[in-house]
Amino acid sequence: MSEQIHGLTARHASTTVRALHAAPASAPRPTDVHETVVAVAALLAEQHDQGVTLNQSHEDGEFEDPDDGFGCGCDVTVLTAEEEYSFHRGDSEWSLIRESDGRKLSDGSVVYDTFETLSTTWKIAHPQQLVDDILRIIANDASQDSTGGLRAIPPIAPLH
C-alpha cells in the first residue's frame, strides 16, 4: 500500500503543487479583523445574487486591533428575499444573525439570543471559508422555508 501511495505522490504531487502555485488567490489574505470583514463583504458581493452592504464603524486605516476577541465594529448586511442577515465578529467568534431572530426591548434596542457560529474562530480566517459558511447557512434557511420545515443540508465543499 505504501508503494502505491508513494507512486501516486511521485506522479501527481509536482503537477498539483504547480497548479496551486499558479492559481490566483480568491481573496487577499487579511492581516486583521477589519480586513477580514472587508474581504468577506467583497466576496459576498461577487458570489451572492442579492444585496450585500459593508457597514463600517470607522474610517479605513483607523482600526487598531486591541486583540480582545471582538471585531472592529464593522459588519456586513446580506439580504435575501426571505431574510436579512448580519455577519460580524464578537466574543472571539465569527457569527451570522438573522434579523427575524431579534427581540425588541422596551427601550427600543434589539437583542439576539440566537445566532449561527461559523466554522472558524480565527480572526484572520480565510475570507472564502467564511463566505462559504454564510452562503451555506442562507441556502439551508431557504431550503427549510421552501420545504415546510424539512431541512436539506448540502455537503460542505472543501477549501481550495
Side-chain angles (χ1 to χ4, degrees):
M1 180 63 106
S2 72
E3 286 180 21
Q4 287 177 331
I5 292 172
H6 181 59
L8 286 171
T9 303
R11 282 193 309 272
H12 300 289
S14 63
T15 305
T16 303
V17 169
R18 275 195 306 274
L20 288 172
H21 183 43
S26 61
R29 192 62 184 239
T31 59
D32 63 26
V33 173
H34 177 71
E35 287 183 11
T36 304
V37 173
V38 171
V40 166
L43 287 170
L44 280 170
E46 292 173 7
Q47 298 173 29
H48 181 65
D49 59 357
Q50 296 179 41
V52 175
T53 305
L54 171 63
N55 306 302
Q56 289 196 207
S57 65
H58 56 84
E59 297 295 323
D60 283 336
E62 290 187 5
F63 172 66
E64 292 186 26
D65 191 354
D67 202 21
D68 61 359
F70 288 89
C72 62
C74 300
D75 64 16
V76 179
T77 302
V78 184
L79 300 175
T80 69
E82 300 83 25
E83 185 68 78
E84 179 177 323
Y85 297 85
S86 179
F87 163 76
H88 67 282
R89 182 165 178 84
D91 201 18
S92 297
E93 296 179 326
W94 292 106
S95 301
L96 188 69
I97 60 170
R98 293 169 194 85
E99 290 300 318
S100 63
D101 288 340
R103 187 169 41 92
K104 196 167 194 168
L105 301 178
S106 60
D107 66 359
S109 62
V110 179
V111 295
Y112 297 91
D113 298 325
T114 60
F115 54 88
E116 296 279 347
T117 301
L118 303 187
S119 65
T120 182
T121 59
W122 195 28
K123 71 179 181 177
I124 54 172
H126 194 289
Q128 187 62 56
Q129 180 179 1
L130 296 168
V131 168
D132 289 347
D133 285 352
I134 292 165
L135 294 176
R136 182 178 43 77
I137 290 166
I138 290 171
N140 287 347
D141 286 354
S143 175
Q144 183 178 14
D145 288 345
S146 67
T147 59
L150 297 176
R151 190 169 194 158
I153 307 215
I156 297 174
L159 291 178
H160 300 284

